[in-house]
Amino acid sequence: MGERCIANESLGTTGFSYTLSLIQGKYKMTILYTLMEFGVVRFNEMKKYIGTISYKTLSTTLKELEADQLVHRQEYPQIPPKVEYSLTARGRSLMPILDGMCEWGDQHRL
């Protein structure tokens, strides 16, 4: 088997590119980490925990993660409205990656 030649390859066809397309964005990894650490989280709790994210950005990002089937949104029919977010099985399958990033950060933090 010969060496791979970059001229015959395309980053867009790799598993890396697909994974990156799901998790790229300023807050997606932060939201996934939050749900990994705390399980079921309400919208305002997440906003307070993250701190630097706007309500609109949090809402938009959660919708994107839900559309990609990484996050589950559970709405309860009550007043005031109650909405909880959690990871789907697909979202939980990313946890080894996040765990690895946490471990790397703990080992290399300056």
Side-chain angles (χ1 to χ4, degrees):
M1 186 171 190
E3 258 186 64
R4 292 174 60 200
C5 177
I6 195 167
N8 299 327
E9 304 286 338
S10 170
L11 180 64
T13 63
T14 64
F16 173 81
S17 180
Y18 177 71
T19 303
L20 193 59
S21 75
L22 296 179
I23 62 174
Q24 71 184 358
K26 186 171 181 180
Y27 289 102
K28 284 186 178 182
M29 293 291 286
T30 303
I31 291 169
L32 292 170
Y33 171 79
T34 302
L35 294 173
M36 176 183 80
E37 287 294 304
F38 298 102
V40 177
V41 180
R42 293 181 70 177
F43 184 90
N44 285 331
E45 294 171 332
M46 193 175 314
K47 165 67 174 97
K48 184 178 177 183
Y49 178 73
I50 296 171
T52 57
I53 192 170
S54 71
Y55 287 102
K56 181 179 180 186
T57 300
L58 178 57
S59 178
T60 300
T61 305
L62 283 165
K63 286 177 186 172
E64 291 171 3
L65 290 167
E66 186 181 6
D68 290 330
Q69 300 176 345
L70 299 175
V71 169
H72 173 71
R73 180 180 190 270
Q74 177 67 50
E75 187 173 346
Y76 297 92
Q78 65 185 48
I79 297 177
K82 178 181 175 182
V83 179
E84 295 178 334
Y85 295 89
S86 60
L87 293 172
T88 61
R90 183 177 170 157
R92 285 190 303 275
S93 72
L94 283 170
M95 293 312 98
I97 295 167
L98 288 178
D99 283 337
M101 291 175 68
C102 292
E103 289 173 20
W104 189 93
D106 287 340
Q107 292 173 7
H108 295 90
R109 188 184 334 221
L110 299 178

